[in-house]
Amino acid sequence: MPLFGKHKDTSPPEEPSSPAACEGQTAPPTIAFPQPTLSGDNDDLTTAKKLDDAFRSVGDAKQGFHKYEDSKSRKFLNKSGDAVNLLQTNVTTAQSYSSPMKTVYESDAMKVVREGVNTLIDNLPGLIKALDEVAKLHPFIGIAVGAFRVVVELDIKRRDNDKKIGVLFAEMKDMMEALLQLRSIKDEEAIGPDGLTIKARMQELVKQAADEIKSCANACDTYSKKKLIVKVIKGSVWDGTLKGFIDAFANRRKAFTFALSIHIGVGVDDANRKLKLIDAKIDIVLEFFAKAVTPEQQELAALVQKKGGPTAVMGDNDTLKELLKFKPASTTITKRDGAEHKAHEGGGDDLSIVKEELFDSPELAIRKNLDIFERKFKMQQRELTEEVKRVIHHEGDRVIEAVTSGPHERIIDPDIHAIWKEMRWPGHVKARHFVLALRDFYREQLEIKKRKIHGVEEAASRLNDQDEWALEYISLARLQAISEAVDDDASGFVTIAEVNQFTTSRPKDFSLPQWIAYWAVGWHMTSQDYRAKIVDIFAKMFSMRPLIHPANRNAVDQYLRAVWRKICTLTSSLVTTTYPDSLRDRFSTYVESEEQRLREGLETVKYDIDAMDTLSLIMGPGRVEKTLFPLLYLLLRRDFEIFRVCRTRMIHKDELWDASDTILYVLDAVINRYNDLLVTFKQQKVDPANQFKVHASELFDYWHDDEDFWSLKNLRTYEFKELDYNDEEEDQNVDVGKLLNYPAADDDLYVVPNDVLTEGDAQADEAVRLILGRWHGFQAASTRFPMGTMITFCLHASADHGSYEAGAVGAHGTAFTVLGGYRTKEDGTIEYSFTRTYAARIKKSYFVGTLDEDGVTLSGKWGYSLEKMDTAFWFKRGVAPEILVARPPPAEFEENKIRALWNYALTYSLDEARRRLYSWSYFKERRDMRTEYLELLEREVDDLSTEEDIARFAYLDRKSTYDDVRCYYILQNYRQRPKPAHFDIYCDNCGDHIYGTRVVCMECGTRFTFDFCEKPACVSSEIKSRDDVEAPHLPTHDLLKIRTNILHHREIGTVLRNATEGLKRAKTLLERAAKGAEEDEASESGSGSDEEHKDGEASGQSPTTPSSPKLAHRDFSDPSDSDSEAEVPVLTCVSCSETIAQPCWYCIDCPEDANIFVCQSCDEKGGVTVGDHLGTHTLVRCLEPPAEEDSDEEQDSTDDRVAALETQISALTSQMSRIEKLLQSLVGGRTAELVVDGEA
């Protein structure tokens, strides 16, 4: 379905690989380097010396040291490459030097870069530790060291084996290594030769380095979230952006080296040599960066080229859909991250997300990601700070000084150290043996304590009085739970590292026995409590659904469809039991502190988890089971409050989408944990199904196999918890402003812009100041004017004062940015060029134009590429939009400018007069324009627009202001929101997706229902084969009609149970009505005597007739006489009041005593609404039962038929006898004639 189809142009999309498409980005540096064809290996030292001499020989002797600081590496390498090429062709000695240079370039140097990237993760901890030591001597570098430490930790959490990001971090590491030279400078206030201290010289450089580190990390974070297809198609554009950080880090490293050389006594020649080597390395790094492409990217890139290249692919939706299904032959992807996550079940549109990413420039994508990244950065900072606090030496903890005595010496906790030493275990032990040893150790300590009390034992016990209660739970019955707590990877073995991690992670006020007791019973008890809270929240959410504002109905349904079933699988699988409240009180402080920690993490990221590394920051280290239910509860609690807002306010369409996507990231962690456990169990050669029935209190049991639980057979009888929603019981002090991440839909459709000039505007170049301010205008197309709606934006100066930018929202609701600059032509004219980039769906536009003399009009040419800008545009500043809509089209100005101007003035004057006089014709015109525009939008959404519609669009766009059209689109959006669709429900006969009415068979299906659309051919069809049924579906089966969205797995069981009960009631009423009709007919035919007729008249009785056409909906019994029989009902249609005839439909949503029937003809109109009965209510079909005859009559009829058959057979036998005799006589007569003839 095309979006904003009338605004599209047939021009080809921009070429992503074109430098011009990058909004002013400089092209990747072109680096020349000698390419001689020589062979031979040399010693590393000799090679390095010759490489050094080669660069020294081609360096410009006149160039001073200070010039290196400002020079660009690209420029230097190009010069050096040209010089070396010249030496290669003319000088024999240069040829001898080029051989080792080639060897180093292609092998050793490249190998060094590759190994540096591969071993990066191993080298970073040592570097950070060294930098921390240097920061203690020179605190002014702390800002850069802190930023470096944070982004390294974030990268470690995100590790996705992307070599390009690895190269950037390797260059970042090299830059930070330069600061290690500060170790030789003890006094930061020492004055250098030029009178500056090292602090004064480097403080600003360090701040700039910190900013560059954060910017690079944000870019890497943005790039890592991109889908594989985006990385391939937009690869060259992203490479240009990411390479800029390589240059930045190299230049910053050179600046550090130069500043430090002044204070550490390094000579100018040595400094020059170091800087040259830095420049030389960039060539090799950039070469490696270009080749750092994963096999998946290479495979997909080849497929893209086969489809016509990036340009052709970006403009073809069908090809993009095909590429989205691409599965690499051999993949190195081990986990699902934000890159492939954003389209989830419940109506996700993967294509629109990919197109949004494709039409995003890297700069815009990085800018959009900045807010999320900064939240993540702050959270990692806080975690590092708290990590220091968590490294607590609990009272009695051992201080490890040597590891030469045995593995047990590496254990921190003294109790476990004693156990490990006594048992003489190596670096690991079976988890079962470890738990049994723990139990025996503490039992022994309890006995020692008792003997000491009685004076029998002299040695002190390691067990405190406060810990005795915990020994009850350190038992064989809790062996599984305790071993899971220590054995984090479920390998079956406990390592020393796992023991230390377990003991050091306990709260400060917990002893080791109490900590073990928590994981023995406390975790399950806590998870059980949170599970109950989660179930209650979902019950309230479903109870609240009928109260949701219609504009939010689809968003709510999509949310529930995306998250409920998966979470319910977990909550239903967890085994439950009872615990005493006293035990709950013992762990309450820890549980509350953990909930608070998770809440603070979620608040930091505004409850928006955008990637798995963000989730890791929030949950903390260890297996996902530890904090799964508390985290889900906090997320659902916040989403429940959003549901409450959805009752009265229209929320942003992405509010609940992001909320569900956040929960899906949590469930992705569950999937990863499940997969790890599955692999582990298979390696251990145990049955996974049996293991999941005991692991983590059966948390993953249904996750492993949920077929039976979610089968239709089970859902017919399974009842989910239901609660009534009472708003008075909920928190009435929720701050909606803090709750929502997006601005709620405002009732005020017209927003007054705030066009205040900034301080940067005043400091901008004079040419830039000339173009700043609010602009309104139109674009033209080759065949019509205007090309789309009115455009409005306010230009402000950029930070560099030489360019300008704007951010705005198109009339159709899609945000866009304007970025541009200027140039002065030879004749002194200033030419302005800028781009407009939309956040999604719409291609980037390029504009080039000039200002008129009075500075009011900006006009020129525009197009979708720099090579093709052949259509006009004009924008006006200081002219109200209401005046611009009165302006005639350009064709009238070309034909007769004076007449057009006169028409312009008359039209605006008339419109303004009518507006000020509140003329009815003015308001009627605006009403008619709005009605027509909404009708045209409706046809456009359904892809039914004609050429006439496009022409009318152009006219209405020209006559409507930006605010008018924005209002039209908002109204259209509100109209589209409530439209229901049965998600993932398809007709079992025709296969089409079901919209509107869903017809369900009440008898068929064990795994899933039989569903049909409302087409007569489908409802009356017979389905003979499906793998979950034995008998075919017949059109005579009982059916029900669902005309509203239901969450299938949650509600289909309740609907089927209600339908069964409703059908039973309906059949009873219909049988009574039919029986009463038969008795009336019999009484009328048998009471023909005048006497009886007169008696009836004398008594004042008359035939029973309904006093109202809705008689069937009232109680027909006589309340004054309990012995009297109920009167026979006359059932009528709730809509047309005609007497009901089967087949008909019975409402199961209306109260039982209402007895609402709808006849077949009225229901075929699409549902009826009468009184309390709504057209969206669920109906069950009532068919006329097959005719049944009395058994005696049936027997008599059978005897008569048999007798008749015998008579017919007897008659047939006599006829056959006569025919036989006749044939014999004929044969005899014929024989006699032949004899006579023969004698003659």
Side-chain angles (χ1 to χ4, degrees):
M1 182 172 59
L3 295 171
F4 318 127
K6 69 179 187 303
H7 303 292
K8 294 182 180 178
D9 190 75
T10 56
S11 304
E14 56 174 309
E15 176 62 58
S17 60
S18 173
C22 302
E23 297 182 3
Q25 293 178 33
T26 57
T30 304
I31 303 172
F33 212 75
Q35 298 290 333
T37 307
L38 296 173
S39 59
D41 296 329
N42 299 285
D43 182 76
D44 289 345
L45 293 176
T46 304
T47 299
K49 184 177 184 301
K50 290 183 177 181
L51 180 62
D52 189 6
D53 293 339
F55 277 107
R56 191 185 299 276
S57 66
V58 300
D60 187 359
K62 297 180 180 180
Q63 187 175 10
F65 176 78
H66 63 280
K67 293 186 178 180
Y68 284 108
E69 185 178 1
D70 298 326
S71 65
K72 295 293 184 182
S73 58
R74 173 178 66 217
K75 180 178 178 182
F76 172 76
L77 289 176
N78 282 332
K79 287 183 178 180
S80 63
D82 293 339
V84 174
N85 281 327
L86 181 62
L87 289 174
Q88 179 186 349
T89 57
N90 295 285
V91 184
T92 304
T93 57
Q95 290 179 346
S96 65
Y97 290 150
S98 64
S99 175
M101 189 183 302
K102 169 72 174 179
T103 304
V104 173
Y105 173 68
E106 291 190 341
S107 58
D108 294 344
M110 186 68 75
K111 184 179 179 181
V112 170
V113 175
R114 185 180 296 108
E115 290 180 351
V117 173
N118 293 335
T119 61
L120 176 66
I121 198 69
D122 299 324
N123 297 331
L124 287 174
L127 174 60
I128 292 174
K129 185 176 181 180
L131 287 171
D132 286 339
E133 294 299 323
V134 176
K136 293 178 182 179
L137 291 174
H138 303 280
F140 68 87
I141 72 168
I143 184 173
V145 174
F148 180 63
R149 183 187 183 96
V150 171
V151 301
V152 165
E153 290 294 330
L154 289 174
D155 184 64
I156 290 174
K157 286 182 171 65
R158 190 196 57 239
R159 289 316 285 179
D160 52 5
N161 297 322
D162 194 304
K163 298 298 183 184
K164 292 185 183 295
I165 295 179
V167 171
L168 294 179
F169 272 82
E171 289 302 298
M172 189 190 303
K173 177 184 77 71
D174 290 346
M175 176 189 70
M176 295 303 294
E177 280 181 340
L179 294 176
L180 294 179
Q181 301 176 62
L182 283 168
R183 287 181 294 191
S184 60
I185 303 175
K186 303 301 181 181
D187 184 8
E188 65 179 24
E189 299 297 334
I191 299 176
D194 56 354
L196 290 177
T197 64
I198 187 65
K199 179 179 179 180
R201 190 182 307 279
M202 293 192 63
Q203 193 165 19
E204 187 61 30
L205 293 176
V206 170
K207 290 181 180 179
Q208 294 173 2
D211 292 339
E212 290 167 354
I213 288 172
K214 290 180 65 176
S215 298
C216 177
N218 180 33
C220 292
D221 186 62
T222 307
Y223 178 75
S224 67
K225 296 175 186 176
K226 295 299 178 184
K227 291 181 177 290
L228 179 63
I229 187 174
V230 177
K231 291 181 179 179
V232 171
I233 294 178
K234 302 275 287 187
S236 60
V237 183
W238 271 100
D239 281 359
T241 299
L242 297 179
K243 284 178 181 179
F245 291 105
I246 297 178
D247 279 335
F249 292 143
N251 289 335
R252 193 64 55 205
R253 184 184 179 190
K254 288 160 60 177
F256 286 161
T257 302
F258 169 59
L260 289 167
S261 65
I262 297 177
H263 287 265
I264 61 178
V266 177
V268 174
D269 290 341
D270 289 338
N272 281 343
R273 183 177 61 82
K274 289 181 180 180
L275 296 178
K276 287 181 179 180
L277 288 175
I278 293 173
D279 283 337
K281 182 183 176 183
I282 294 181
D283 184 26
I284 303 169
V285 170
L286 291 175
E287 179 73 15
F288 180 82
F289 183 87
K291 295 179 179 179
V293 180
T294 64
E296 294 82 8
Q297 291 176 337
Q298 293 176 355
E299 190 176 345
L300 183 56
L303 185 58
V304 169
Q305 291 298 329
K306 186 177 179 181
K307 297 292 184 180
T311 302
V313 168
M314 289 175 67
D316 190 338
N317 286 350
D318 293 334
T319 304
L320 282 176
K321 289 180 181 178
E322 180 181 348
L323 293 175
L324 282 173
K325 301 176 183 178
F326 166 77
K327 299 292 182 184
S330 60
T331 178
T332 59
I333 300 174
T334 58
K335 66 179 181 179
R336 180 171 162 230
D337 206 343
E340 307 299 333
H341 193 274
K342 277 294 180 182
H344 56 68
E345 50 188 291
D349 187 357
D350 227 358
L351 179 61
S352 64
I353 296 171
V354 168
K355 294 189 73 174
E356 178 179 345
E357 292 185 359
L358 286 174
F359 288 112
D360 266 359
S361 66
E363 293 83 358
L364 181 59
I366 292 171
R367 190 183 307 169
K368 288 162 62 176
N369 188 68
L370 180 60
D371 184 49
I372 296 175
F373 174 77
E374 285 184 342
R375 287 184 242 145
K376 194 185 303 184
F377 186 90
K378 291 178 181 177
M379 190 169 180
Q380 181 63 61
Q381 272 185 320
R382 187 178 65 193
E383 181 178 310
L384 291 174
T385 303
E386 293 179 352
E387 184 178 346
V388 177
K389 299 178 182 178
R390 284 199 303 266
V391 182
I392 306 167
H393 287 289
H394 296 274
E395 185 176 353
D397 277 1
R398 300 176 60 255
V399 178
I400 301 174
E401 296 180 353
V403 292
T404 56
S405 301
H408 59 275
E409 295 297 337
R410 304 204 310 269
I411 296 177
I412 297 174
D413 185 82
D415 291 352
I416 298 181
H417 171 268
I419 297 173
W420 210 282
K421 181 179 180 180
E422 182 180 350
M423 300 300 295
R424 297 182 180 181
W425 287 330
H428 61 274
V429 62
K430 285 187 175 181
R432 179 183 179 85
H433 295 170
F434 176 78
V435 177
L436 291 176
L438 272 177
R439 181 198 63 174
D440 294 343
F441 174 80
Y442 284 114
R443 283 185 177 181
E444 180 183 350
Q445 295 303 313
L446 180 61
E447 291 299 322
I448 292 174
K449 182 179 179 182
K450 290 179 179 179
R451 290 198 299 269
K452 186 173 179 62
I453 293 175
H454 294 88
V456 179
E457 184 73 37
E458 294 183 0
S461 173
R462 294 180 180 272
L463 190 66
N464 298 323
D465 294 339
Q466 298 82 2
D467 296 340
E468 288 189 21
W469 66 268
L471 300 189
E472 176 186 352
Y473 304 104
I474 307 178
S475 62
L476 192 61
R478 310 291 178 180
L479 186 146
Q480 179 70 28
I482 298 173
S483 62
E484 289 173 7
V486 186
D487 181 18
D488 222 37
D489 57 3
S491 63
F493 291 88
V494 175
T495 65
I496 291 177
E498 288 176 330
V499 165
N500 286 337
Q501 174 64 31
F502 174 74
T503 57
T504 56
S505 63
R506 75 180 191 267
K508 187 176 181 179
D509 55 347
F510 267 45
S511 65
L512 183 60
Q514 293 173 359
W515 189 230
I516 296 172
Y518 172 78
W519 292 107
V521 292
W523 173 83
H524 179 249
M525 179 181 63
T526 303
S527 297
Q528 192 172 272
D529 292 343
Y530 280 113
R531 171 199 174 276
K533 294 178 182 179
I534 291 171
V535 171
D536 287 349
I537 287 176
F538 272 127
K540 292 179 182 179
M541 283 181 171
F542 280 97
S543 178
M544 202 190 306
R545 280 179 71 208
L547 308 176
I548 299 296
H549 192 288
N552 300 321
R553 191 78 49 79
N554 275 342
V556 166
D557 287 344
Q558 287 182 8
Y559 169 89
L560 292 172
R561 190 163 283 103
V563 305
W564 174 79
R565 181 182 172 183
K566 292 182 177 181
I567 296 179
C568 187
T569 300
L570 294 170
T571 57
S572 301
S573 183
L574 184 74
V575 66
T576 58
T577 186
T578 57
Y579 293 99
D581 292 337
S582 59
L583 186 62
R584 185 174 285 102
D585 295 338
R586 293 186 182 275
F587 306 124
S588 60
T589 55
Y590 173 70
V591 172
E592 291 170 1
S593 64
E594 276 295 282
E595 181 178 322
Q596 181 62 25
R597 180 183 66 84
L598 293 172
R599 183 182 292 107
E600 290 175 357
L602 291 172
E603 289 174 352
T604 302
V605 298
K606 295 185 177 180
Y607 286 83
D608 185 10
I609 299 176
D610 66 317
M612 295 301 291
D613 57 333
T614 308
L615 178 63
S616 300
L617 285 172
I618 295 171
M619 298 188 75
R623 61 197 189 282
V624 68
E625 304 98 288
K626 293 168 60 176
T627 55
L628 175 62
F629 281 143
L631 181 62
L632 287 176
Y633 164 72
L634 291 173
L635 291 172
L636 290 170
R637 181 67 202 178
R638 182 242 181 189
D639 298 345
F640 172 73
E641 297 298 337
I642 297 178
F643 271 47
R644 294 179 63 203
V645 175
C646 287
R647 294 173 304 142
T648 55
R649 296 177 59 176
M650 289 173 284
I651 65 170
H652 193 279
K653 60 183 180 180
D654 290 336
E655 192 73 58
L656 284 175
W657 174 271
D658 285 354
S660 61
D661 207 59
T662 291
I663 293 179
L664 289 180
Y665 275 114
V666 179
L667 296 176
D668 268 0
V670 175
I671 294 173
N672 293 338
R673 175 63 172 169
Y674 164 77
N675 291 334
D676 291 342
L677 290 173
L678 186 62
V679 171
T680 299
F681 295 152
K682 289 181 178 179
Q683 289 176 346
Q684 295 172 351
K685 297 182 179 180
V686 295
D687 184 11
N690 291 333
Q691 289 300 114
F692 283 123
K693 288 185 181 298
V694 296
H695 184 83
S697 300
E698 304 183 25
L699 177 64
F700 295 98
D701 186 21
Y702 289 167
W703 198 274
H704 176 67
D705 184 8
D706 65 347
E707 183 175 349
D708 290 340
F709 180 76
W710 292 115
S711 66
L712 181 63
K713 182 179 179 181
N714 183 55
L715 294 177
R716 287 179 185 272
T717 57
Y718 192 90
E719 295 185 10
F720 295 99
K721 185 172 184 178
E722 296 184 4
L723 293 174
D724 292 332
Y725 173 73
N726 184 357
D727 191 66
E728 295 180 356
E729 298 176 355
E730 307 301 332
D731 186 4
Q732 304 298 322
N733 299 316
V734 176
D735 188 344
V736 177
K738 294 181 179 179
L739 176 69
L740 302 178
N741 287 336
Y742 295 89
D746 200 339
D747 293 334
D748 183 10
L749 301 180
Y750 299 98
V751 180
V752 178
N754 183 13
D755 297 338
V756 179
L757 295 181
T758 65
E759 182 179 348
D761 295 340
Q763 299 175 359
D765 296 350
E766 181 180 355
V768 173
R769 291 200 303 271
L770 293 175
I771 200 175
L772 302 182
R774 171 69 57 178
W775 295 89
H776 308 279
F778 292 99
Q779 297 169 242
S782 57
T783 57
R784 68 179 186 271
F785 178 87
M787 170 66 177
T789 65
M790 179 182 290
I791 304 169
T792 179
F793 53 86
C794 184
L795 291 175
H796 292 279
S798 300
D800 60 4
H801 307 314
S803 58
Y804 47 89
E805 60 186 33
V809 177
H812 37 64
T814 303
F816 67 87
T817 57
V818 174
L819 298 173
Y822 71 93
R823 72 183 183 94
T824 304
K825 301 169 69 173
E826 295 181 356
D827 59 359
T829 304
I830 300 176
E831 183 180 78
Y832 295 93
S833 60
F834 55 93
T835 60
R836 182 186 62 192
T837 306
Y838 279 93
R841 296 180 287 271
I842 304 175
K843 293 176 288 187
K844 181 188 293 184
S845 306
Y846 297 86
F847 299 79
V848 175
T850 58
L851 276 174
D852 62 358
E853 294 181 358
D854 58 5
V856 173
T857 304
L858 175 65
S859 59
K861 299 292 185 179
W862 78 278
Y864 288 121
S865 67
L866 290 173
E867 293 75 20
K868 187 178 181 181
M869 292 191 292
D870 51 7
T871 49
F873 75 88
W874 54 262
F875 298 116
K876 296 285 186 177
R877 179 174 54 186
V879 180
E882 292 78 12
I883 299 177
L884 292 180
V885 297
R887 182 183 175 92
E892 294 188 18
F893 280 89
E894 294 175 1
E895 181 180 352
N896 190 326
K897 184 176 181 180
I898 296 177
R899 177 176 293 178
L901 289 172
W902 182 246
N903 187 22
Y904 187 4
L906 287 177
T907 302
Y908 171 69
S909 299
L910 180 60
D911 289 344
E912 183 66 11
R914 290 192 302 158
R915 185 181 70 84
R916 292 190 178 186
L917 294 173
Y918 299 101
S919 169
W920 165 244
S921 64
Y922 176 77
F923 289 108
K924 180 178 181 299
E925 180 183 0
R926 288 179 59 82
R927 181 202 63 187
D928 294 342
M929 288 175 60
R930 181 183 69 249
T931 302
E932 183 180 6
Y933 208 103
L934 291 173
E935 291 174 353
L936 293 173
L937 286 176
E938 189 75 27
R939 288 201 289 273
E940 184 186 47
V941 169
D942 295 334
D943 202 16
L944 300 175
S945 296
T946 63
E947 290 297 327
E948 292 77 10
D949 293 337
I950 300 299
R952 289 301 298 171
F953 260 131
Y955 173 78
L956 294 175
D957 283 336
R958 180 170 62 84
K959 299 294 290 183
S960 303
T961 66
Y962 164 85
D963 288 331
D964 290 337
V965 181
R966 183 77 190 104
C967 171
Y968 302 156
Y969 271 97
I970 291 175
L971 292 175
Q972 171 66 7
N973 181 39
Y974 292 164
R975 287 185 177 184
Q976 289 292 324
R977 280 186 172 195
K979 289 191 175 180
H982 300 282
F983 294 101
D984 297 327
I985 303 296
Y986 298 88
C987 178
D988 277 294
N989 182 56
C990 66
D992 290 344
H993 189 239
I994 297 178
Y995 292 90
T997 301
R998 172 186 175 188
V999 181
V1000 181
C1001 177
M1002 297 170 56
E1003 302 179 28
C1004 295
T1006 58
R1007 188 184 71 252
F1008 205 84
T1009 53
F1010 271 77
D1011 301 290
F1012 303 93
C1013 58
E1014 204 175 14
K1015 290 181 288 190
C1018 295
V1019 175
S1020 60
S1021 64
E1022 177 180 343
I1023 308 297
K1024 296 184 178 180
S1025 62
R1026 209 172 80 172
D1027 57 359
D1028 63 331
V1029 294
E1030 297 178 357
H1033 164 77
L1034 301 176
T1036 55
H1037 284 180
D1038 293 330
L1039 302 178
L1040 64 92
K1041 281 187 177 181
I1042 303 174
R1043 286 197 168 102
T1044 186
N1045 288 336
I1046 66 169
L1047 187 60
H1048 178 83
H1049 291 93
R1050 168 86 185 198
E1051 298 172 282
I1052 192 63
T1054 302
V1055 170
L1056 290 174
R1057 289 192 294 271
N1058 292 342
T1060 301
E1061 294 298 323
L1063 183 59
K1064 189 183 299 184
R1065 292 194 303 271
K1067 286 182 177 180
T1068 301
L1069 290 171
L1070 291 168
E1071 288 173 0
R1072 287 177 56 196
K1075 185 177 180 180
E1078 292 176 358
E1079 292 176 352
D1080 289 344
E1081 291 178 2
S1083 62
E1084 290 176 1
S1085 60
S1087 60
S1089 65
D1090 294 338
E1091 182 178 354
E1092 291 179 350
H1093 182 66
K1094 292 178 181 179
D1095 292 342
E1097 290 179 345
S1099 62
Q1101 296 178 350
S1102 61
T1104 301
T1105 58
S1107 59
S1108 166
K1110 306 296 183 293
L1111 186 62
H1113 310 143
R1114 294 171 14 200
D1115 188 3
F1116 296 97
S1117 60
D1118 184 0
S1120 63
D1121 186 2
S1122 59
D1123 295 330
S1124 65
E1125 295 185 358
E1127 296 182 12
V1128 178
V1130 177
L1131 305 177
T1132 60
C1133 173
V1134 71
S1135 177
C1136 64
S1137 301
E1138 294 292 333
T1139 302
I1140 282 294
Q1142 294 173 279
C1144 60
W1145 297 88
Y1146 177 76
C1147 179
I1148 64 174
D1149 289 341
C1150 289
E1152 293 184 11
D1153 57 354
N1155 296 327
I1156 300 295
F1157 283 88
V1158 181
C1159 67
Q1160 185 81 3
S1161 59
C1162 290
D1163 182 71
E1164 289 175 353
K1165 300 175 183 178
V1168 296
T1169 299
V1170 177
D1172 294 333
H1173 173 74
L1174 304 179
T1176 56
H1177 281 184
T1178 303
L1179 307 177
V1180 62
R1181 186 176 69 171
C1182 304
L1183 288 177
E1184 187 173 0
E1188 297 182 1
E1189 299 179 357
D1190 185 76
S1191 58
D1192 294 337
E1193 295 179 357
E1194 183 178 354
Q1195 182 65 37
D1196 294 342
S1197 176
T1198 302
D1199 293 341
D1200 293 341
R1201 283 181 291 176
V1202 171
L1205 183 60
E1206 290 176 348
T1207 303
Q1208 291 178 358
I1209 293 174
S1210 177
L1212 182 61
T1213 301
S1214 62
Q1215 290 178 0
M1216 292 296 295
S1217 298
R1218 290 196 298 271
I1219 292 173
E1220 184 178 359
K1221 291 179 181 179
L1222 178 60
L1223 290 174
Q1224 289 176 352
S1225 63
L1226 290 174
V1227 171
R1230 182 62 177 167
T1231 303
E1233 290 178 357
L1234 292 174
V1235 171
V1236 173
D1237 292 341
E1239 292 177 351

